[in-house]
Amino acid sequence: MLDEAFEALKTYDWGTDPKVLAPIEEAVVTSHGNADARKDLETRLAAVLTSGVSRDAKDYACRKLMLIGTAQSVPTLAGLLTDNDLSHMARYALERIPAAEAGQALRDALSKVSGPLQVGVIGSLGARHDAEATAPIAALLNNADPSIARAAAIALGDIGTAEAAKALADAKPSAPGAAQVAADATLACAEDLLAAGKKAEALAVYKSLAGENQPKNVRLAATRGMLACAGK
């Protein structure tokens, strides 16, 4: 049954009856806890990505690797990050693979893509809370493309470390709307630090946003944060 499903996947598109792929869906579930079965399934799904099948079939394989992928799948998925059609799903899979290799693949891709693909990779690194990506993402805060500058600020907010907050403070992004995005991202860093019990670090970040040079809404949020740091 599984062999037939993989054969059907070769010509699959989103208009096909999904029942033909039910054995693959079942294998994803039943292979849980069975390392050999899961490795075999992962190998077969990764092989789909290097074959001459349809975009929809490769999209489907990425979706399944999002669930069961390991470091084994990373090189294949990484190879799709520069593909205009498949980068989106490949990076979503890499976002969810907990292996360190997945984060490295996304960091490596930062310098290989541009425009919307780079925005996507930046977002995926933020979604992984990848602290190792802080420096390369910070370097994009003043990018000439406003969408990249904003994505970099948001990602640093998602990373949420003191280093990310400092990078946001140092950059002083000038793209339209980027200053507000950076302030919001800095607040997000402070909130993450406070939630992690790092009150002193959180307080320092909140204080940096409490000055008169900040918009009223940012100052109010910073004041509330400082009170929270004080247990009030």
Side-chain angles (χ1 to χ4, degrees):
M1 295 288 286
L2 189 58
D3 288 343
E4 288 83 351
F6 271 99
E7 190 64 30
L9 183 57
K10 292 179 180 179
T11 56
Y12 184 78
D13 64 52
W14 292 120
T16 304
D17 185 346
K19 290 181 181 178
V20 299
L21 303 182
I24 299 176
E25 302 284 344
E26 183 179 353
V28 168
V29 176
T30 59
S31 65
H32 181 70
N34 185 332
D36 290 339
R38 183 146 288 198
K39 183 176 181 179
D40 177 67
L41 183 59
E42 181 180 8
T43 299
R44 297 180 74 165
L45 287 166
V48 171
L49 299 178
T50 59
S51 63
V53 299
S54 69
R55 173 183 172 179
D56 288 349
K58 291 183 178 182
D59 184 285
Y60 177 87
C62 285
R63 290 173 186 270
K64 298 305 113 180
L65 289 172
M66 191 185 301
L67 300 173
I68 69 165
T70 67
Q72 174 186 323
S73 301
V74 169
T76 302
L77 290 164
L80 301 178
L81 291 174
T82 57
D83 186 305
N84 284 325
D85 291 330
L86 295 167
S87 180
H88 181 71
M89 289 310 303
R91 67 179 179 80
Y92 269 166
L94 289 168
E95 270 184 31
R96 291 160 176 78
I97 293 175
E101 291 86 347
Q104 185 64 59
L106 288 164
R107 293 193 296 275
D108 290 344
L110 267 180
S111 61
K112 300 176 184 177
V113 293
S114 59
L117 295 191
Q118 191 173 50
V119 169
V121 171
I122 293 167
S124 289
L125 286 165
R128 284 179 65 87
H129 308 290
D130 191 335
E132 292 184 55
T134 300
I137 291 176
L140 299 170
L141 282 169
N142 284 304
N143 193 277
D145 183 337
S147 65
I148 290 174
R150 286 193 293 270
I154 293 168
L156 289 172
D158 290 337
I159 290 171
T161 61
E163 292 75 17
K166 184 178 186 304
L168 286 160
D170 291 345
K172 298 179 175 59
S174 57
Q180 181 61 55
V181 174
D184 291 341
T186 306
L187 285 168
C189 289
E191 289 167 4
D192 284 351
L193 289 166
L194 182 57
K198 299 177 180 180
K199 291 185 179 181
E201 293 180 22
L203 181 60
V205 176
Y206 282 127
K207 283 183 176 179
S208 73
L209 295 171
E212 291 299 320
N213 61 321
Q214 295 291 344
K216 183 178 179 180
N217 64 312
V218 174
R219 296 200 310 271
L220 288 173
T223 300
R224 285 195 296 269
M226 288 188 288
L227 290 171
C229 288
K232 298 179 180 179

